[in-house]
Amino acid sequence: MNNTGNAPVQLTDVRKVYGTGPGAVDALAGVTYEFAAGTFTAVMGPSGSGKSTLLHCAAGLDTPTTGDVHLAGRSLRGLDETSLTELRREHVAFVFQSFNLMPALTVRQNVVLPMTLAGKQPDDAWVTEVIRAVGLGERVKHRPSELSGGQQQRVAIARALAGRTAITFADEPTGALDTTTALEVLTLLRDQSRRLGQTIVMVTHDPVAASYADRVVFLVDGRIVSELRRGAVHPTAEAVAAELAQLSAGRLSPTES
Ligand SMILES: Nc1ncnc2c1ncn2[C@@H]1O[C@H](COP(=O)(O)OP(=O)(O)O)[C@@H](O)[C@H]1O
Ligand SMILES: [Mg+2]
């Protein structure tokens, strides 16, 4: 598969090896993929298949052993740390499993922090809207320690939405949330890609979460082995679950089955 060169996030034969010698692990074993502008893509696969590594390499938080990543039109190869930080601040937002909130700051201060760091003026009305949309309108002055895990994750999601960056990376963003809140958050992410043309890459193990995406890519042993892609219709949770079941079955060696 060749990349067209226009997508906001492109991986070209990305390999990532952790460790050396006999203990070395090929976390990514040659991934070439384009995350097209305005698409919401879910990345799925068994535990240890390289999902987080893919996300970290794509976001410039980790460096591939070989291969190249283009982020917002720039090759990350050889980019120094300062330029990389600036590139990320300008174009990228993150939602991680660990929320990475600043304990001393309030909800609102946490939400606007990336913009403050990037020297941008927050759009106050929009910030208020996203905080309300994630259900924290009553808690803008609370600090993270005064919030539940689900509420803290919603702060992290509001923070990612508030800056209206071109690209959002999310690693299991709904993992810590109850079903209702999870569906609200997924709807927000989907709206963000639909309405603002944001490119979203979300790692999840949940077929229902993946069904909110436009595309679902499946990783096994550090390789993309299949993809579900629908035009106007989102991949259904059933189709995603069926694909996962097939991949899991395919992974069993004859001695295991
Ligand atoms: N920092 C690291 N050091 C060594 N091995 C790692 C490191 N991070 C991930 N790995 C290994 O790389 C593989 C892929 O990990 P990861 O990307 O976290 O998978 P996933 O997110 O799909 O569970 C796993 O075998 C994991 O143990
Ligand atoms: Mg992971």
Side-chain angles (χ1 to χ4, degrees):
M1 187 185 358
N2 288 316
N3 288 333
T4 62
N6 301 320
V9 186
Q10 295 174 45
L11 287 78
T12 309
D13 199 19
V14 169
R15 288 165 200 271
K16 180 69 182 180
V17 184
Y18 287 113
T20 52
V25 175
D26 288 330
L28 294 178
V31 171
T32 297
Y33 196 77
E34 286 194 340
F35 296 93
T39 56
F40 179 9
T41 307
V43 178
M44 302 195 79
S47 180
S49 58
K51 302 182 294 297
S52 295
T53 306
L54 177 98
L55 205 74
H56 292 162
C57 286
L61 296 171
D62 203 346
T63 311
T65 308
T66 60
D68 196 13
V69 173
H70 281 74
L71 192 60
R74 294 276 298 276
S75 166
L76 302 189
R77 198 185 297 173
L79 211 58
D80 64 67
E81 199 51 52
T82 309
S83 311
L84 193 53
T85 302
E86 280 172 9
L87 186 71
R88 278 198 305 258
R89 277 187 186 157
E90 185 64 25
H91 301 286
V92 179
F94 298 96
V95 185
F96 290 117
Q97 269 167 309
S98 57
F99 318 121
N100 295 317
L101 302 179
M102 302 296 285
L105 301 183
T106 65
V107 165
R108 192 176 182 99
Q109 288 166 338
N110 266 289
V111 167
V112 299
L113 184 63
M115 283 176 276
T116 311
L117 290 173
K120 290 189 221 160
Q121 186 64 38
D123 173 343
D124 286 333
W126 173 249
V127 170
T128 300
E129 188 183 329
V130 294
I131 291 175
R132 195 179 299 139
V134 299
L136 294 174
E138 312 285 290
R139 298 185 198 270
V140 281
K141 295 200 172 134
H142 286 57
R143 294 183 204 282
S145 62
E146 300 165 320
L147 303 173
S148 71
Q151 288 170 334
Q152 290 182 47
Q153 184 61 307
R154 286 189 263 155
V155 178
I157 286 159
R159 182 180 55 190
L161 300 179
R164 290 192 273 214
T165 53
I167 306 159
T168 291
F169 292 103
D171 197 350
E172 299 275 4
T174 56
L177 306 182
D178 63 82
T179 310
T180 311
T181 311
L183 296 186
E184 281 168 15
V185 160
L186 289 162
T187 305
L188 270 176
L189 289 172
R190 185 166 67 187
D191 286 354
Q192 187 81 348
S193 72
R194 289 269 169 92
R195 282 171 38 202
L196 300 174
Q198 206 182 40
T199 304
I200 302 179
V201 183
M202 172 182 75
V203 167
T204 182
H205 63 263
D206 177 6
V208 174
S211 73
Y212 278 74
D214 305 310
R215 297 175 185 183
V216 188
V217 296
F218 296 88
L219 269 183
V220 174
D221 296 335
R223 287 190 176 80
I224 292 179
V225 294
S226 69
E227 181 184 20
L228 287 178
R229 194 190 277 224
R230 306 275 166 80
V233 185
H234 288 269
T236 64
E238 290 73 22
V240 173
E243 185 72 16
L244 269 184
Q246 256 195 1
L247 291 176
S248 308
R251 270 168 61 82
L252 297 178
S253 70
T255 49
E256 287 174 306
S257 54

